[in-house]
Amino acid sequence: MDLEILKGVIERIIYFNEENAYCIAELSLIKANGTVPIFGILPGVQCGETVQLKGEWTEHPKHGKQFKVHNFKSELPATIYGIKKYLGSGLIEGIGKSYANKIVEHFGVRTIEIINSESSLLTEIPGIGKSRAKSIKQAWEEQVAVRDTMLFLQTYGVTPSQCIKLVKKYGLNTKRIIQDQPYKIAEDIERIGFKTADQIALNLGFPTNSDERIEAGIIHTISKIQEDGHTIALIPHLLEQSALLLGLKQNLIANRIEHLTKEKKLYSFQAYDKNNTALGPVVQKPIYTYLEKKIAELICSNYHAQSNLPEIKLDSALIWAEKKAGFEFEQLQKEAVRSALSNKFNIITGGPGTGKTTILKAIVDILMAKKCQVILASPTGRAAQRLSETTQQSASTIHRLLKYDPSTRAFFHHKDNPLTCDCIIIDEASMIDTQLAASLLDAIPSSAHIVLVGDSDQLPSVGSGNLLSDLIHSPLTKVVRLDTIFRQAKESTIITTAHNILKGLSDPPKTISSFHHLNKEDDFNFIEVEDPEKITQAIIYLVKEYLPKSEQFDSIKDIQVLSPMHKGSAGIKALNEVLQENLNNASESEKRLKNKKNYIGSKQAFFREKTNRPLPFEINYGNATFRIGDKVIQTVNNYDKNVYNGDLGIIESMSADCSTIVIQFSEQLIEYKKNELSEIQLAYTLSIHKSQGSEYPVVIVPLLKQHFIMLQRNLLYTAITRAKKKLFLIGSADAYSMSVKNNKTEVRRTNQIEQIKNINKLK
């Protein structure tokens, strides 16, 4: 196919996607009058820019003839008109339309040359002093670097937002660093992985067996092992996985592992499991060696330090707490209270219905009566809210407790500025990963009692580490395991089913084959459906029709679908799309916008007041569509915004130009720019892992035999224990049985227990 060439000036940018650089624009032709519509991948283009496009003409059913760009070359504007348009586009910080006109009128066609090479002359323009001239020059150089980087990387699948991150990291050296050290970018820049860096390196001529490539592949493989939850990597496993990734023999990789350990980029040692059985030689990234050692030192320091609690007569305190609760505690519950008040480091564990919340309230009541300072916290907002309701005392998330300080890019509370407390109680402790544990323990005064509460049978933390399990097997921790299910809990089929799963009883409670057999009195329902498409239809019926109309549950706020898999017709992605379309389609979202009495954000209020155009109700980002009213989840920790991985919110509003959205998270409104939307996802359906620490009035779980890779006992147990009032399992009874029988969950490999043992020997 012969491609046509067009040359012209970018007159107007109609649409630009920050994530993939897809652009729709108008081109003013140089050798002809008028403008033509163009579209394609055009990273870094700006109004006023001269471009040479290679592509083909297409016919759009609505917009007519358009030019599809296959590739392009770009030149800086050379005409006075082009330069004015280019600088006036807001491209360079410090130059708006007014200053653009003044500068171009003064320097004419030499404007670009002046900014590039003689920026001090900009002070000849009234209103531009030395400081502003310097900032204009700096912004110009950054923009040139971004532009060069974008053009250089556009064939490698690196997005414009990633290019901007590269330039912010490396400045004017960006292109040189990429050419000389392409594997460095995978290490330094979030969301640029080894495969992208490898593609760039190989295209630049780096050999497949280069030391740089092998070492980058090893580090990438260890990072993938960390993503599976481990903090150490078994060397045979690391060799095997690295060889698969790199397509090289294991002896070449072994040589570079040895080199990385000599350079202290990796640490090598013998590791042991919780039963003190040797695992063999392992390697660990220095950051995890540091974190695990730090955790061990802090636990040992706390264990050996003097308690700050006043003298408490335990027998009398227990009798008082029982009177306050209105019933006598079971023996293990009494032991848990005694332990928390007399031992420095405690773990209270047990499944649902075993009285953990009763014990928490008793401990808090006794300490508050003694005028002690008690801090309550949990990894998630929902768990913190539940903890507060249980104890009738304020509780916060761990992140908000530690208070992130943007000026230092670290937590406000740490060893030199500790929290003020006599006792700290952390609920849902199974969710705490190694990194968060180190920060939390660092902020707790050594004199304080520490009580970790959690269910050790649930899934471990999303992040690397296995803290709760490791500490249960630590020699310094006092552990009380509650195992009695109380009468009221026994009446819940949800709770009895959860405990039956732990016992390995693989037959589900009674199943039904039709919605006609649903009973409002039942808290547990297993609807047998084999066809994946019918499972989806059943979920839609429950969420949209039956539960809102028959049982008055809110479709978005009260009901949570949890899926074991990301892909497939009953996977997270597909279910999110179908539930969005059924619960918050375009017309529903627009209706929500029109019904809102107040618009959030002055930009929107101004837009609505000064123009008669409708406000937007949806925004497209990559392959996702977000609408006003959508339920979304934050997928990474964003300390600057004070929102964290797992936080759920509702989209409240959008700016008139679709450049920002506002999300309501609990009691705070957070604004996201368009290039930050990669941090959020639709949350009508969540992974079971993401649901940890949360309870929902209603939980719906699809179970298919096709999910067999993920079907494990602790996964099913975690999903079931998220339901507070109603649980619906939809799918195959065989899949349920497969889950319960599969108790061979891979144990997370860490060096935490050994670190505690080694540090304690030195005390």
Side-chain angles (χ1 to χ4, degrees):
M1 179 178 62
D2 292 331
L3 297 179
E4 192 170 334
I5 292 175
L6 293 183
K7 190 169 183 179
V9 175
I10 299 292
E11 184 71 25
R12 184 165 74 100
I13 294 174
I14 299 166
Y15 171 79
F16 188 82
N17 186 320
E18 295 284 351
E19 188 63 17
N20 58 18
Y22 177 79
C23 180
I24 301 171
E26 286 181 358
L27 183 76
S28 181
L29 297 171
I30 287 176
K31 293 184 177 180
N33 292 325
T35 61
V36 295
I38 63 168
F39 68 96
I41 305 300
L42 296 162
V45 295
Q46 301 291 337
C47 288
E49 199 168 338
T50 301
V51 290
Q52 181 176 295
L53 311 175
K54 188 178 280 188
E56 59 181 310
W57 289 100
T58 63
E59 191 72 29
H60 190 278
K62 184 177 178 182
H63 302 294
K65 199 175 181 184
Q66 296 179 319
F67 191 76
K68 181 181 179 180
V69 180
H70 287 231
N71 54 64
F72 78 107
K73 291 179 182 177
S74 176
E75 301 170 7
L76 289 172
T79 66
I80 287 177
Y81 171 77
I83 295 169
K84 274 187 181 180
K85 198 163 189 64
Y86 186 68
L87 293 181
S89 66
L91 170 75
I92 308 301
E93 193 173 338
I95 303 181
K97 284 186 179 179
S98 175
Y99 274 116
N101 288 334
K102 289 178 183 178
I103 292 168
V104 177
E105 283 169 11
H106 188 78
F107 295 112
V109 292
R110 290 189 63 231
T111 297
I112 301 294
E113 180 191 335
I114 295 293
I115 297 174
N116 235 338
S117 310
E118 301 176 74
S119 59
S120 60
L121 295 179
L122 290 171
T123 56
E124 294 176 7
I125 308 298
I128 298 181
K130 287 183 179 180
S131 176
R132 182 180 282 246
K134 187 178 178 181
S135 67
I136 289 172
K137 169 70 171 173
Q138 186 177 339
W140 171 262
E141 288 178 340
E142 185 174 295
Q143 180 58 34
V144 169
V146 169
R147 174 197 182 82
D148 286 349
T149 305
M150 283 180 175
L151 292 173
F152 174 62
L153 293 177
Q154 64 180 313
T155 57
Y156 301 112
V158 179
T159 66
S161 60
Q162 289 171 331
C163 287
I164 291 166
K165 286 180 182 177
L166 283 165
V167 172
K168 284 185 176 176
K169 177 75 176 176
Y170 305 130
L172 301 179
N173 298 318
T174 302
K175 192 172 178 180
R176 179 183 59 77
I177 287 172
I178 292 169
Q179 289 173 321
D180 296 345
Q181 301 171 273
Y183 293 105
K184 184 176 171 60
I185 68 173
E187 192 177 331
D188 290 352
I189 309 298
E190 189 181 353
R191 295 179 186 267
I192 295 183
F194 169 79
K195 290 183 179 177
T196 300
D198 197 37
Q199 184 188 358
I200 294 169
L202 295 176
N203 279 317
L204 288 170
F206 278 71
T208 56
N209 63 349
S210 69
D211 291 347
E212 295 93 337
R213 181 172 186 262
I214 296 172
E215 289 179 12
I218 291 165
I219 297 299
H220 172 76
T221 303
I222 292 177
S223 296
K224 297 300 285 183
I225 291 169
Q226 283 172 200
E227 286 176 16
D228 290 334
H230 310 289
T231 64
I232 56 177
L234 298 173
I235 287 181
H237 180 61
L238 177 59
L239 286 169
E240 180 188 344
Q241 294 302 308
S242 298
L244 282 172
L245 174 73
L246 297 166
L248 297 172
K249 292 183 178 178
Q250 290 190 14
N251 64 314
L252 289 172
I253 296 163
N255 291 337
R256 297 324 298 172
I257 291 175
E258 191 176 334
H259 174 77
L260 287 167
T261 56
K262 283 179 182 175
E263 294 288 310
K264 295 194 179 339
K265 292 180 180 177
L266 292 175
Y267 289 132
S268 177
F269 50 87
Q270 279 283 340
Y272 300 85
D273 66 12
K274 63 185 179 184
N275 299 317
N276 209 33
T277 304
L279 293 172
V282 301
V283 290
Q284 185 175 47
K285 281 188 178 180
I287 181 61
Y288 279 100
T289 303
Y290 165 77
L291 290 171
E292 289 186 338
K293 186 177 180 182
K294 182 178 180 180
I295 288 169
E297 288 172 343
L298 291 166
I299 288 172
C300 290
S301 174
N302 174 273
Y303 180 81
H304 292 286
Q306 187 70 33
S307 169
N308 203 37
L309 291 186
E311 184 181 348
I312 299 173
K313 294 177 181 178
L314 296 177
D315 290 339
S316 300
L318 271 166
I319 292 169
W320 177 84
E322 286 174 330
K323 282 182 180 177
K324 190 171 173 61
F327 56 88
E328 186 178 352
F329 299 155
E330 187 263 340
Q331 196 57 41
L332 278 174
Q333 289 182 309
K334 291 179 182 180
E335 186 184 334
V337 176
R338 289 177 185 276
S339 177
L341 299 176
S342 55
N343 293 293
K344 291 294 298 303
F345 205 100
N346 303 268
I347 291 177
I348 301 171
T349 185
T354 57
K356 294 194 299 294
T357 55
T358 299
I359 294 316
L360 281 182
K361 184 159 185 358
I363 294 167
V364 172
D365 286 345
I366 291 169
L367 290 172
M368 297 297 284
K370 283 288 186 177
K371 309 294 183 192
C372 296
Q373 289 185 294
V374 183
I375 288 177
L376 304 171
S378 184
T380 69
R382 280 176 174 259
Q385 184 181 353
R386 197 169 66 248
L387 180 60
S388 181
E389 290 167 356
T390 298
T391 60
Q392 296 177 331
Q393 301 293 331
S394 64
S396 74
T397 64
I398 295 172
H399 285 101
R400 292 186 178 95
L401 173 68
L402 299 179
K403 294 179 184 174
Y404 182 73
D405 184 353
S407 63
T408 60
R409 303 201 72 78
F411 286 120
F412 178 74
H413 288 294
H414 46 75
K415 193 171 186 177
D416 297 324
N417 182 32
L419 298 160
T420 303
C421 65
D422 301 310
C423 178
I424 183 166
I425 298 173
I426 307 293
D427 197 12
E428 296 289 352
S430 63
M431 295 183 65
I432 304 174
D433 60 34
T434 299
Q435 194 163 5
L436 183 57
S439 296
L440 173 64
L441 292 168
D442 193 44
I444 299 172
S446 59
S447 60
H449 283 229
I450 300 173
V451 182
L452 301 182
V453 184
D455 186 346
S456 58
D457 292 310
Q458 281 188 32
L459 291 168
S461 58
V462 175
S464 300
N466 200 16
L467 185 81
L468 186 64
S469 179
D470 285 344
L471 294 184
I472 284 173
H473 294 93
S474 158
L476 305 185
T477 311
K478 175 64 177 175
V479 180
V480 178
R481 187 180 293 275
L482 305 175
D483 56 12
T484 301
I485 306 175
F486 289 91
R487 183 182 61 79
Q488 189 176 356
K490 283 180 180 175
E491 296 171 3
S492 165
T493 310
I494 295 172
I495 290 175
T496 55
T497 301
H499 285 275
N500 286 339
I501 287 170
L502 294 180
K503 292 173 186 174
L505 301 178
S506 59
D507 290 330
K510 67 171 187 176
T511 63
I512 59 175
S513 58
S514 167
F515 288 120
H516 297 299
H517 299 133
L518 286 173
N519 185 342
K520 289 183 183 179
E521 302 304 315
D522 292 338
D523 66 343
F524 182 105
N525 289 277
F526 195 126
I527 305 162
E528 280 205 82
V529 182
E530 293 289 342
D531 184 348
E533 296 301 324
K534 289 183 179 177
I535 287 178
T536 300
Q537 292 167 15
I539 291 171
I540 293 168
Y541 171 73
L542 285 173
V543 174
K544 190 177 181 181
E545 301 293 333
Y546 176 77
L547 287 165
K549 293 175 182 177
S550 298
E551 303 202 28
Q552 283 70 56
F553 287 109
D554 186 285
S555 294
I556 293 176
K557 293 179 181 177
D558 294 337
I559 304 168
Q560 187 60 59
V561 180
L562 304 177
S563 178
M565 295 288 283
H566 282 273
K567 295 180 180 178
S569 59
I572 294 162
K573 186 177 185 300
L575 285 174
N576 264 324
E577 289 173 357
V578 76
L579 287 171
Q580 181 193 44
E581 195 53 39
N582 276 274
L583 300 177
N584 195 35
N585 55 39
S587 60
E588 284 293 323
S589 183
E590 190 169 17
K591 198 187 299 177
R592 282 189 173 91
L593 174 66
K594 288 176 179 176
N595 288 340
K596 291 173 80 68
K597 293 180 181 177
N598 298 305
Y599 292 97
I600 298 162
S602 57
K603 290 179 187 175
Q604 290 161 295
F606 177 83
F607 181 82
R608 187 172 57 121
E609 184 181 333
K610 299 295 180 184
T611 74
N612 203 24
R613 289 165 56 194
L615 285 167
F617 58 86
E618 71 176 26
I619 186 169
N620 294 308
Y621 181 78
N623 295 322
T625 298
F626 296 108
R627 297 180 180 130
I628 288 175
D630 273 339
K631 179 160 68 170
V632 293
I633 186 170
Q634 176 77 13
T635 60
V636 295
N637 290 333
N638 189 321
Y639 296 99
D640 295 328
K641 292 184 184 299
N642 198 26
V643 287
Y644 303 100
N645 190 357
D647 285 356
L648 290 175
I650 301 289
I651 296 177
E652 285 290 320
S653 61
M654 297 175 179
S655 63
D657 59 359
C658 287
S659 63
T660 60
I661 68 171
V662 175
I663 302 175
Q664 175 89 48
F665 286 103
S666 189
E667 295 178 0
Q668 58 177 349
L669 291 166
I670 304 294
E671 186 175 270
Y672 286 74
K673 293 179 181 175
K674 194 168 184 179
N675 62 4
E676 295 173 322
L677 295 184
S678 59
E679 294 185 5
I680 64 167
Q681 292 175 1
L682 293 175
Y684 299 100
T685 304
L686 297 177
S687 70
I688 295 169
H689 238 127
K690 286 283 188 190
S691 72
Q692 277 184 276
S694 296
E695 278 187 347
Y696 312 95
V698 182
V699 167
I700 301 172
V701 184
L703 276 181
L704 284 163
K705 282 186 280 189
Q706 292 97 307
H707 293 161
F708 71 93
I709 295 174
M710 296 296 294
L711 293 178
Q712 297 168 348
R713 185 182 295 180
N714 63 348
L715 189 85
L716 180 61
Y717 173 78
T718 301
I720 284 175
T721 53
R722 300 309 90 210
K724 193 173 181 181
K725 296 179 180 178
K726 295 272 185 178
L727 173 68
F728 294 85
L729 298 185
I730 306 175
S732 163
D734 288 341
Y736 180 96
S737 298
M738 286 166 64
S739 301
V740 177
K741 289 175 182 175
N742 182 9
N743 198 29
K744 296 177 182 178
T745 309
E746 185 180 18
V747 176
R748 289 194 171 187
R749 294 183 290 273
T750 76
N751 197 43
Q752 188 63 74
I753 297 172
E754 283 302 302
Q755 284 281 21
I756 293 172
K757 288 178 181 177
N758 294 336
I759 298 295
N760 193 45
K761 285 176 187 175
L762 302 175
K763 289 289 182 179

